[in-house]
Amino acid sequence: MSTTHSAEKFGMIRGVFIPSILTIFGVIMYLRLGWMLFHVGILGSIIVITLSSLITFLTSLSIAATATNMRVGAGGAYYMISRSFGIEAGAAIGIPLFLAQALGVAFYITGFAESLTLIFPHLPMTWISVGTLIVLTVVTLISADLTLKLQTFIFTVIAASMVSFYFGHPLSPDEISASTGPIAPVSFWSVFAVIFPAVTGIEAGLSMSGELKDPGKALPYGTIAAVLVGYVIYISIPFCLHFWVPKAILAERFFVMKDVAMIGILIIFGIWGSTLSSAVGALMGAPRTLQALAKDRIVFGFFGTSSGPKQLPIRATIFAALVAMGTLFLGSLNSIATVLTMFFLTSYGFLNIAACIESLMGNPSWRPSFKTHWLVSFVGALACLFTMLMIDSGATIIATIFVLCIYVITKKRQLGQSWSDTRRGILQSVARYSIYHLSQYKPDARTWSPNVLVFSGSPQKRWKLVQLGHSLTRKRDFLTVGSIIDQENVDQSRKFAMEKSIREFLDKNGVSGLAEVHFSKEMSQGARAMVSNYGLGTLKPNVVLIGINKNRDERARYVELLMDIHRMNKNLVIYRDQGDETINYSYPWSDYVGSIDVWWGRRHQNANLMLALSYILFQQSRSKSPLITLKSAILSDDEEESAVQSLDSLIEKGRLKISRKIYKLASDQNYFDVMSHHSEKTELVFIGLRPPEGDESVEHYSEYFGRLLKLTQSLPKVCMVLASEEIQFKEIFQ
């Protein structure tokens, strides 16, 4: 990652191609391609390199598209993912990415140390690695610009080493030493895991986007050129070794490229130049990723500061060096490469997903200079996932759990960063697809669920009504808290402020719901308009939940609203609570309802809807022994057998864990006398509400409703239900 502060602008070669190709031409190319050829053969080697390069190539196309659609800030891939998927996804990938870069430091240094011990076997490899790491860390903190300025020279040395190899010669018999013994076989996917980090490095050019003359061209074409050139070189080396070197010695002779080269010392210089420059590059990239994470408050802010005259991330660099040092003591080159592969595949997979989703949504903000078809990115993401599973399915599961844990923890921290991302666009695309396709299906009892519009006004005043609506929707269906403001002229700024206030209050108290505020010169008229017009497509409320209007002067308008709700085919639930007025915001009271009575009358459409709603509450109850009881009253003994058979059949066919009770009316009793006597201590009672009949007047229905309120006044909590939707609710229980 460049730290230069000069005004010089780079072209494709110096700005992108050389930094990327220097990372690709690394220790694996020099020390492990012969080992690969031994274990999987020439055909297997071609497949390993082709698959590795294909994943990198597809990801480079995704990176090119994303990077040319935004100015890539500090953090490279982390910056791109966090600004595409949000801070939570950015954290979930940014932390593994930092670890991958820190492991990369150890990986390159281990390769350098191994090459040194192949020449000087008596040198302790671990301490060479530790010493090299310390020196490179100091160089990075003091004069990292020097290494960057030497990139062209290092590239020239590597190119010279490759020319020396291609003009080399087959090993003569006197150059071939006997094998030390049988070599344990290594599986194809284990070989792939070791080789894959060799073709990574495409992120090296990302940090240069701000210093490029024409990033729209330099970044994609420079990256793609590096991947393609790397592929050609990586394919050609096994071919040469296949014809020049006996297979028996390939697994043990890691320095075989030096042995066959025309000038062997150039191979050594190439290894040293590539490993040390790559290590410095990783030592510069890892701290800046960690610093970006710290500035976004994902990790400790301690790592987010810069120090010194050049404003370098000293603390983050030291920490990255410590992580690399710990890795040096724990693993060999092959084991580090395997872990590194899993981290890279994870980050590459998410980069492909980000580009795929952006391309699929086609938002106006998606205008990359380099366009990539969404299918390319999708195949790249699938290839990453498939490869991870084939390498080690257990490690893939662990890596997935690790990423998900970071996501969940970050989500709970509610960091609330203000930048825009694609999450709203993703959800909007899914919603659009769902709504359009949902309109092709008619509502039916099998898939019916309550989408509730609750008229609570200010939710603080009628919180129990909101709690009941929340319990009915169960965080699975739609709950809308509606409020009508007695004001003829719409004040949009006030409307938005009130809706935001209601949503924040709901969120604070654990209620998942939407807020809708309407302005109207008359309350019932505004409520009628909301019931009629609110919703999108088929996603409209099918249950209207409303409280009791205790103002007798407004009874007629209130009842007229109830009649209109029924005529608009909206199911109506009127809730009356005459119990304790104390409001507890900490949990929905209906979560702890211990007993529910459903009074089964002659109107079976009402009865089946009441049973469905009560069963939803039953499923949500945390009471130790929740109980639903179907209750019915009969006039004579002749009706008992039929009533018992009807209710028992319903319970059995519906597989319901409920009980039933049937009461006979005495000569001096009516239906509501029995109800009041047998449900006065029940925590929630469901009763049916008869529908308006034909052209029944508001006055006549008001008289009926007033009598109903009077007859049920002894019941503490009542839900009066009127089924109005054109659905056979009885089919729910068949």
Side-chain angles (χ1 to χ4, degrees):
M1 177 177 272
S2 177
T3 59
T4 179
H5 299 283
S6 66
E8 181 182 2
K9 294 290 183 178
F10 299 103
M12 182 191 75
I13 301 299
R14 288 188 60 196
V16 181
F17 179 79
I18 290 180
S20 299
I21 203 69
L22 282 178
T23 307
I24 292 173
F25 288 168
V27 60
I28 293 295
M29 182 184 74
Y30 286 109
L31 298 181
R32 287 297 184 271
L33 293 188
W35 172 85
M36 173 189 69
L37 182 62
F38 173 83
H39 287 289
V40 297
I42 186 62
L43 180 60
S45 298
I46 294 173
I47 295 173
V48 167
I49 294 171
T50 301
L51 180 57
S52 301
S53 298
L54 178 63
I55 292 174
T56 306
F57 177 72
L58 295 175
T59 306
S60 69
L61 296 178
S62 297
I63 287 178
T66 307
T68 56
N69 191 62
M70 65 169 69
R71 185 184 181 279
V72 181
Y78 158 72
Y79 183 93
M80 292 167 62
I81 292 174
S82 63
R83 271 57 179 179
S84 293
F85 285 148
I87 192 169
E88 297 88 356
I93 295 305
I95 293 175
L97 180 62
F98 162 73
L99 293 174
Q101 291 170 326
L103 287 176
V105 176
F107 175 73
Y108 298 124
I109 289 177
T110 300
F112 168 75
E114 183 176 305
S115 68
L116 202 61
T117 55
L118 288 174
I119 301 173
F120 306 104
H122 61 282
L123 294 177
M125 180 173 169
T126 301
W127 294 110
I128 292 175
S129 300
V130 172
T132 304
L133 175 60
I134 293 173
V135 171
L136 292 183
T137 302
V138 173
V139 169
T140 302
L141 293 174
I142 296 176
S143 59
D145 288 347
L146 175 63
T147 304
L148 294 176
K149 292 175 181 177
L150 289 174
Q151 281 188 338
T152 304
F153 172 74
I154 295 171
F155 175 74
T156 303
V157 172
I158 292 174
S161 71
M162 295 311 302
V163 171
S164 175
F165 171 76
Y166 289 128
F167 282 93
H169 58 85
L171 290 182
S172 59
D174 59 334
E175 294 179 286
I176 301 173
S177 58
S179 175
T180 58
I183 304 297
V186 179
S187 69
F188 174 88
W189 290 108
S190 296
V191 171
F192 180 92
V194 173
I195 300 300
F196 181 75
V199 299
T200 61
I202 55 176
E203 298 171 23
L206 280 178
S207 59
M208 298 296 293
S209 61
E211 289 86 30
L212 298 175
K213 295 176 182 177
D214 187 357
K217 292 183 178 179
L219 192 56
Y221 294 115
T223 303
I224 292 169
V227 173
L228 294 178
V229 170
Y231 174 71
V232 172
I233 298 298
Y234 271 82
I235 281 289
S236 65
I237 292 174
F239 268 106
C240 293
L241 295 178
H242 176 70
F243 293 106
W244 289 353
V245 182
K247 181 180 178 180
I249 68 170
L250 287 174
E252 299 174 312
R253 205 158 175 173
F254 293 145
F255 237 152
V256 70
M257 284 184 65
K258 179 184 77 67
D259 297 333
V260 302
M262 182 174 64
I263 305 175
I265 193 66
L266 288 178
I267 300 294
I268 297 174
F269 289 156
I271 294 176
W272 291 351
S274 65
T275 53
L276 294 179
S277 65
S278 296
V280 171
L283 261 174
M284 296 173 69
R288 283 158 178 79
T289 298
L290 182 61
Q291 187 180 45
L293 289 166
K295 287 182 176 179
D296 289 341
R297 297 185 294 134
I298 294 171
V299 298
F300 298 113
F302 176 82
F303 297 116
T305 59
S306 299
S307 308
K310 296 185 178 181
Q311 290 296 294
L312 297 174
I314 295 176
R315 295 173 180 174
T317 301
I318 293 174
F319 182 75
L322 291 175
V323 173
M325 185 170 294
T327 307
L328 291 174
F329 286 100
L330 294 177
S332 62
L333 184 66
N334 285 12
S335 59
I336 295 173
T338 301
V339 177
L340 200 59
T341 292
M342 301 301 281
F343 280 127
F344 272 124
L345 284 171
T346 301
S347 60
Y348 281 11
F350 270 86
L351 286 167
N352 280 305
I353 291 172
C356 175
I357 291 176
E358 289 272 26
S359 181
L360 271 175
M361 291 191 303
N363 291 328
S365 62
W366 180 249
R367 303 184 310 278
S369 303
F370 185 91
K371 295 185 181 297
T372 301
H373 195 276
W374 67 267
L375 191 59
V376 172
S377 302
F378 180 71
V379 171
L382 283 183
C384 290
L385 176 61
F386 171 77
T387 305
M388 289 178 69
L389 289 171
M390 295 305 297
I391 292 173
D392 191 334
S393 58
T396 301
I397 294 172
I398 292 173
T400 303
I401 293 173
F402 178 66
V403 168
L404 289 176
C405 286
I406 296 174
Y407 182 92
V408 171
I409 292 171
T410 308
K411 184 77 173 178
K412 287 184 176 180
R413 290 176 62 193
Q414 296 182 341
L415 298 178
Q417 298 291 7
S418 59
W419 64 71
S420 58
D421 54 59
T422 63
R423 286 177 293 181
R424 179 181 174 86
I426 295 170
L427 295 174
Q428 186 168 308
S429 295
V430 172
R432 174 185 175 277
Y433 176 86
S434 301
I435 291 171
Y436 281 174
H437 285 74
L438 200 58
S439 64
Q440 300 175 12
Y441 300 91
K442 293 182 178 180
D444 59 74
R446 183 175 181 82
T447 59
W448 185 88
S449 60
N451 294 327
V452 178
L453 170 61
V454 52
F455 282 110
S456 67
S458 173
Q460 294 94 326
K461 294 181 180 179
R462 297 181 181 85
W463 184 245
K464 290 186 179 181
L465 205 61
V466 176
Q467 288 179 318
L468 177 58
H470 175 56
S471 294
L472 288 173
T473 53
R474 306 163 296 168
K475 293 187 177 181
R476 300 177 187 174
D477 303 301
F478 293 97
L479 170 66
T480 302
V481 176
S483 181
I484 309 299
I485 305 301
D486 188 5
Q487 179 178 319
E488 185 172 2
N489 298 321
V490 178
D491 184 342
Q492 290 294 346
S493 61
R494 185 184 176 196
K495 169 182 166 67
F496 295 149
M498 291 185 67
E499 289 177 345
K500 180 181 179 183
S501 176
I502 293 173
R503 286 195 303 269
E504 290 176 348
F505 184 78
L506 296 177
D507 290 340
K508 178 182 177 182
N509 293 285
V511 173
S512 300
L514 305 171
E516 184 72 13
V517 175
H518 280 199
F519 289 80
S520 177
K521 63 180 180 180
E522 201 276 314
M523 302 292 282
S524 61
Q525 181 180 339
R528 190 177 294 106
M530 185 182 292
V531 172
S532 175
N533 300 322
Y534 176 70
L536 178 63
T538 56
L539 287 181
K540 294 183 177 181
N542 56 17
V543 174
V544 177
L545 177 57
I546 192 168
I548 295 291
N549 189 334
K550 297 179 180 180
N551 189 339
R552 290 183 176 272
D553 296 335
E554 297 180 1
R555 175 66 58 81
R557 283 185 292 182
Y558 173 78
V559 170
E560 186 179 12
L561 172 63
L562 302 184
M563 297 171 71
D564 286 340
I565 291 173
H566 168 70
R567 288 163 181 155
M568 286 186 279
N569 296 328
K570 306 290 186 182
N571 302 306
L572 177 64
V573 178
I574 304 171
Y575 175 66
R576 183 179 68 184
D577 187 346
Q578 299 187 127
D580 186 4
E581 293 295 331
T582 303
I583 296 177
N584 190 334
Y585 293 107
S586 62
Y587 59 84
W589 62 266
S590 47
D591 279 5
Y592 294 86
V593 169
S595 58
I596 301 174
D597 283 355
V598 178
W599 280 90
W600 197 268
R602 290 172 298 171
R603 302 183 187 282
H604 291 287
Q605 186 74 335
N606 278 352
N608 284 289
L609 176 57
M610 289 191 295
L611 185 55
L613 297 176
S614 62
Y615 199 75
I616 290 171
L617 296 178
F618 166 79
Q619 289 179 311
Q620 300 302 306
S621 177
R622 302 179 189 178
S623 175
K624 293 182 179 178
S625 56
L627 178 65
I628 296 178
T629 306
L630 276 181
K631 293 184 176 182
S632 183
I634 57 175
L635 295 173
S636 65
D637 293 335
D638 296 338
E639 297 179 7
E640 183 173 2
E641 183 179 351
S642 174
V644 169
Q645 184 178 1
S646 176
L647 295 184
D648 286 348
S649 175
L650 173 67
I651 293 172
E652 181 181 354
K653 290 182 178 179
R655 303 171 301 282
L656 301 171
K657 297 179 180 179
I658 62 178
S659 61
R660 56 99 179 139
K661 289 184 180 180
I662 298 175
Y663 307 99
K664 181 182 176 182
L665 296 178
S667 58
D668 59 343
Q669 286 182 317
N670 62 37
Y671 188 82
F672 292 99
D673 292 333
V674 175
M675 182 186 298
S676 298
H677 177 69
H678 292 287
S679 292
E680 62 181 352
K681 294 183 179 179
T682 304
E683 293 181 281
L684 184 62
V685 180
F686 279 89
I687 64 173
L689 186 69
R690 78 163 176 84
E693 297 175 349
D695 57 353
E696 183 176 9
S697 67
V698 174
E699 291 77 10
H700 189 268
Y701 198 72
S702 292
E703 291 177 5
Y704 155 74
F705 187 71
R707 289 195 304 271
L708 182 64
L709 293 180
K710 186 176 181 179
L711 291 169
T712 58
Q713 62 184 355
S714 63
L715 301 175
K717 295 184 179 71
V718 180
C719 282
M720 303 175 190
V721 176
L722 175 56
S724 308
E725 201 173 358
E726 296 178 354
I727 285 181
Q728 295 299 316
F729 290 105
K730 64 180 181 181
E731 295 179 4
I732 294 175
F733 305 104
Q734 292 180 356

